[in-house]
Amino acid sequence: MVELANDRVLRALLSLPVDKTPIWIMRQAGRYLPEYRKVRQQAGSFMKLCKTPELACEVTLQPLARFDLDAAIIFSDILTIPDAMGLELSIVEGKGPVFANTVRDEAAVNKLFVPDPETELKYVCDAIRLCRQELNNKVPLIGFSGSPWTIATYMVEGGTSKHFSTIKSMLYRSPELLHRLLDILTQSVTAYLNAQIAAGAQAIMIFDTWGSVLTAEYFRIFSLAYIQTIIENLTKMAEKRRVPVVVFIKGGGRWMEWIADCGCDAIGLDWTVQIAKAKRMVGERVALQGNLDPAVLYAEPEVIRQEAEKILESYGEGPGHVFNLGHGILPDVPPENVKVLVDAVHELSENYHQQDEDDDEETLEE
Ligand code: 1CP
């Protein structure tokens, strides 16, 4: 097994004991950092940044140079797969992601193919390989993908959506066509994540940002079932360690019981969930990641510490918690406040973990 100087995140995601609660932050490399904005400008566009492994690696590591974070997450986007399928993604200032081509009818679905991750998406695998070298086993590197449903919303709508009218009318008018699209995406995401693991990703996160726009019944059929198929087909061990899988369904608090059964090791929670309640409901089955309201980072340092402590207290003693925000960090947050949060979580969480020598005997090997 490769020795990591800090493997708290990998241990906590598998509910193994740790000395302190680990923390990383969704979208930790991003616009709130002036050094990110500089590299992005240098790159010329968001996609150029993603597609240049040296630059993607540089921005991945930027937040780790500033803060004592317990993991890195590869800098990329969930929309690299449709871009690789020929939809041509651009990120437009003030508008978000926009596709040149959409997928709204049978002819468009027929044209789709499963991208080869070491060809069309090689730039992501290269960035992962480079990051692993640079990280030199200091902290683990997280790989990620969007869920088939969430990726499909962008492909069908053509970008960000308010009411998801186009994809929902597809769901109710041509469910078989939507299933075909989701099936191609499921194969693509599985191959992509396995390639990320082969390239060196040590944990995997699946983002289902828009699962909660579905009804409970259709969430299971059109989103969760596909996530489950992906997880069943992921590489379980790499470098003699388990590769934990986190599933984040924004707004999925009401479906925690179902999510806990999808084969994931941990559930990412948004800030609307009481973490104590989540632990009571599913804590025996999965670890939990989250779930500070991202807006807390606008507060004074003392308030940030208090709000962090509330979450630590709510989760209570024992392993199985990775601290994070309940969604991505907001672009106008002062970077100093992130340091306050990261240091507070490490300092305050020691009280919730037993400092027992015997714990070291439990390992991640199988
Ligand atoms: O620099 C810029 O102006 C572009 C902003 C940006 C960034 C920093 C986009 C466009 N993507 C990213 C990086 C990104 N996206 C990461 C990086 C790794 C990290 O540090 O965490 C990750 C994990 C994502 C994932 C992502 N992209 C999600 C899932 C998570 C979530 O936030 O819900 C989604 C929905 C996207 C789509 C997307 N890409 C970019 C934007 C602005 C969006 C959201 C648009 C929307 O709200 O619909």
Side-chain angles (χ1 to χ4, degrees):
M1 186 165 72
V2 179
E3 285 299 323
L4 269 169
N6 172 352
D7 65 358
R8 282 186 200 116
V9 164
L10 298 184
R11 293 181 65 87
L13 289 176
L14 295 172
S15 301
L16 294 170
V18 285
D19 57 343
K20 300 171 191 180
T21 303
I23 173 169
W24 69 276
I25 289 179
M26 283 197 259
R27 300 271 183 110
Q28 63 192 24
R31 277 173 297 175
Y32 75 105
L33 292 176
E35 59 270 35
Y36 168 82
R37 293 198 298 268
K38 200 169 152 208
V39 177
R40 186 191 192 290
Q41 198 180 13
Q42 208 184 318
S45 74
F46 175 77
M47 285 313 284
K48 188 83 205 296
L49 175 51
C50 287
K51 290 183 177 179
T52 313
E54 292 73 23
L55 297 182
C57 176
E58 185 181 344
V59 296
T60 300
L61 301 178
Q62 282 174 346
L64 286 105
R66 274 190 186 245
F67 316 117
D68 190 15
L69 293 158
D70 296 287
I73 177 162
I74 190 65
F75 188 83
S76 186
D77 196 73
I78 64 161
L79 302 176
T80 50
I81 287 181
D83 183 67
M85 289 172 166
L87 269 63
E88 286 178 47
L89 171 66
S90 41
I91 303 290
V92 180
E93 206 75 53
K95 205 168 164 202
V98 177
F99 283 111
N101 309 306
T102 54
V103 179
R104 295 186 173 169
D105 54 23
E106 196 167 352
V109 173
N110 287 343
K111 276 200 243 160
L112 298 175
F113 62 98
V114 176
D116 174 4
E118 282 290 359
T119 312
E120 288 94 356
L121 291 160
K122 184 168 180 290
Y123 63 90
V124 178
C125 298
D126 285 342
I128 289 175
R129 285 184 277 264
L130 202 56
C131 271
R132 279 296 304 275
Q133 263 176 33
E134 296 284 321
L135 279 168
N136 198 16
N137 296 319
K138 200 171 139 231
V139 293
L141 179 64
I142 302 169
F144 72 90
S145 171
S147 71
W149 165 259
T150 288
I151 299 174
T153 65
Y154 289 95
M155 294 171 75
V156 174
E157 301 288 341
T160 300
S161 178
K162 213 169 174 185
H163 300 296
F164 300 89
S165 318
T166 320
I167 192 162
K168 285 186 138 192
S169 63
M170 190 191 267
L171 186 157
Y172 290 110
R173 296 171 70 93
S174 345
E176 289 316 314
L177 187 62
L178 181 54
H179 277 302
R180 276 183 54 207
L181 170 56
L182 293 170
D183 184 56
I184 295 167
L185 283 168
T186 298
Q187 294 175 46
S188 305
V189 169
T190 307
Y192 181 49
L193 289 177
N194 279 335
Q196 290 188 35
I197 295 169
Q202 291 153 298
I204 291 296
M205 178 131 167
I206 298 175
F207 290 93
D208 190 18
T209 307
W210 304 120
S212 62
V213 306
L214 291 164
T215 65
E217 179 191 358
Y218 292 136
F219 165 69
R220 294 178 89 168
I221 296 172
F222 288 93
S223 187
L224 194 59
Y226 289 100
I227 293 174
Q228 183 161 351
T229 304
I230 291 166
I231 296 175
E232 277 165 11
N233 292 295
L234 287 186
T235 309
K236 300 282 176 294
M237 299 283 293
E239 303 170 50
K240 300 208 174 110
R241 273 179 185 267
R242 270 291 299 276
V243 182
V245 179
V246 189
V247 170
F248 173 74
I249 320 272
K250 186 161 177 278
R254 61 204 111 168
W255 302 321
M256 257 178 323
E257 295 273 7
W258 296 341
I259 301 166
D261 282 338
C262 79
C264 62
D265 299 286
I267 300 183
L269 300 172
D270 68 39
W271 65 91
T272 63
V273 177
Q274 283 173 274
I275 199 163
K277 193 171 162 197
K279 190 184 182 191
R280 278 198 304 277
M281 284 171 68
V282 297
E284 294 282 308
R285 283 181 274 164
V286 287
L288 299 173
Q289 179 174 280
N291 67 340
L292 189 76
D293 180 355
V296 168
L297 290 174
Y298 293 126
E300 292 293 324
E302 214 26 61
V303 175
I304 296 172
R305 283 174 62 88
Q306 282 163 14
E307 295 293 331
E309 169 99 68
K310 280 188 206 165
I311 288 179
L312 293 170
E313 197 186 340
S314 174
Y315 188 85
E317 286 185 11
H321 181 208
V322 173
F323 204 102
N324 205 316
L325 303 183
H327 199 205
I329 188 166
L330 297 160
D332 55 348
V333 151
E336 313 81 83
N337 291 0
V338 176
K339 180 170 169 34
V340 172
L341 174 65
V342 172
D343 293 346
V345 168
H346 285 150
E347 184 196 320
L348 301 170
S349 66
E350 282 192 26
N351 295 329
Y352 297 93
H353 299 280
Q354 277 177 5
Q355 307 297 314
D356 187 343
E357 292 300 313
D358 293 346
D359 289 348
D360 289 342
E361 284 168 24
E362 281 184 76
T363 74
L364 295 154
E365 288 174 274
E366 274 194 345

